[in-house]
Amino acid sequence: MTWLRVRQIALFLLLAACAALGVWAWHTGRLTQAAIASWVDSFGAWAPPAYLLAFVIGELVHVPGMVFIALARAAFGPTNGLLLAYFGAVLSVTVPFLVVRGMRSQRERSWTPRWRLLAKMLERVETHPVSSVIVLRLVLWLSPPLDYALAFTGIRTKDYVLGSAIGLIPSVVGVVFGVGWLGGH
């Protein structure tokens, strides 16, 4: 078995264990909005920066970003949760983009995906950068592979961030208010 396969299996087991723990905590009543808010309050003024750091690290290791958005709503309430979730979402897609962009060689060619529709969208990034990123974010939300793929295009960082910031608005707002609606708050 290759080292990559071992890492994939370990990551899967870790995520499965976290999901199982979350389901157990929810069903036993240990995971409530009040419990989450109390735990976050114990961080004091460090709670928002700790949340943002966890969101960015989570995106780098491919933890679904919607988990962090839902957590922001549960931990910080509707208004602060929305603001932190939105800022965290934009930050969490920008950091991997910058990391990959900084690591790639200037001589490396762009990556071309196998999926034709995505390949066409990435080609369109060169001529219509902001609108292309908006559409990609509306469809793929917080997809880490999208961050990496766009880092290999010629898009300017400011166009990437602007397109991501606009394209993430509906998904972040939808999840924050959806969590509030499901939770009855």
Side-chain angles (χ1 to χ4, degrees):
M1 193 176 317
T2 67
W3 177 245
L4 176 61
R5 189 69 178 149
V6 169
R7 286 181 21 203
Q8 289 173 337
I9 291 170
L11 179 60
F12 173 78
L13 292 173
L14 176 66
L15 291 175
C18 288
L21 180 64
V23 169
W24 172 80
W26 181 266
H27 283 292
T28 60
R30 295 172 194 242
L31 183 64
T32 63
Q33 186 169 353
I36 292 169
S38 174
W39 181 69
V40 169
D41 284 344
S42 72
F43 284 87
W46 289 101
Y51 165 79
L52 293 173
L53 180 63
F55 199 158
V56 169
I57 292 170
E59 183 77 8
L60 284 169
V61 298
H62 296 228
V63 174
M66 293 304 144
V67 170
F68 290 98
I69 294 172
L71 178 63
R73 169 57 173 90
F76 297 101
T79 305
N80 291 337
L82 176 63
L83 294 173
L84 273 170
Y86 177 70
F87 184 68
V90 173
L91 191 62
S92 77
V93 298
T94 302
V95 169
F97 174 85
L98 294 173
V99 167
V100 171
R101 173 79 42 104
M103 289 173 48
R104 77 175 183 153
S105 163
Q106 292 299 342
R107 293 170 294 183
E108 286 186 81
R109 292 186 356 212
S110 292
W111 168 75
T112 305
R114 292 181 190 160
W115 191 34
R116 266 191 246 154
L117 181 61
L118 184 56
K120 281 186 176 185
M121 285 304 300
L122 289 178
E123 287 173 14
R124 196 175 182 299
V125 165
E126 301 297 330
T127 56
H128 300 86
V130 175
S131 63
S132 296
V133 174
I134 291 171
V135 170
L136 288 165
R137 286 290 171 211
L138 287 171
V139 174
L140 299 172
W141 297 3
L142 295 164
S143 170
L146 178 60
D147 307 337
Y148 309 148
L150 289 172
F152 279 95
T153 67
I155 191 170
R156 295 181 310 188
T157 302
K158 72 177 188 173
D159 292 335
Y160 171 81
V161 173
L162 178 61
S164 293
I166 295 169
L168 287 170
I169 291 171
S171 59
V172 171
V173 169
V175 170
V176 167
F177 287 109
V179 167
W181 178 73
L182 287 173
H185 296 96

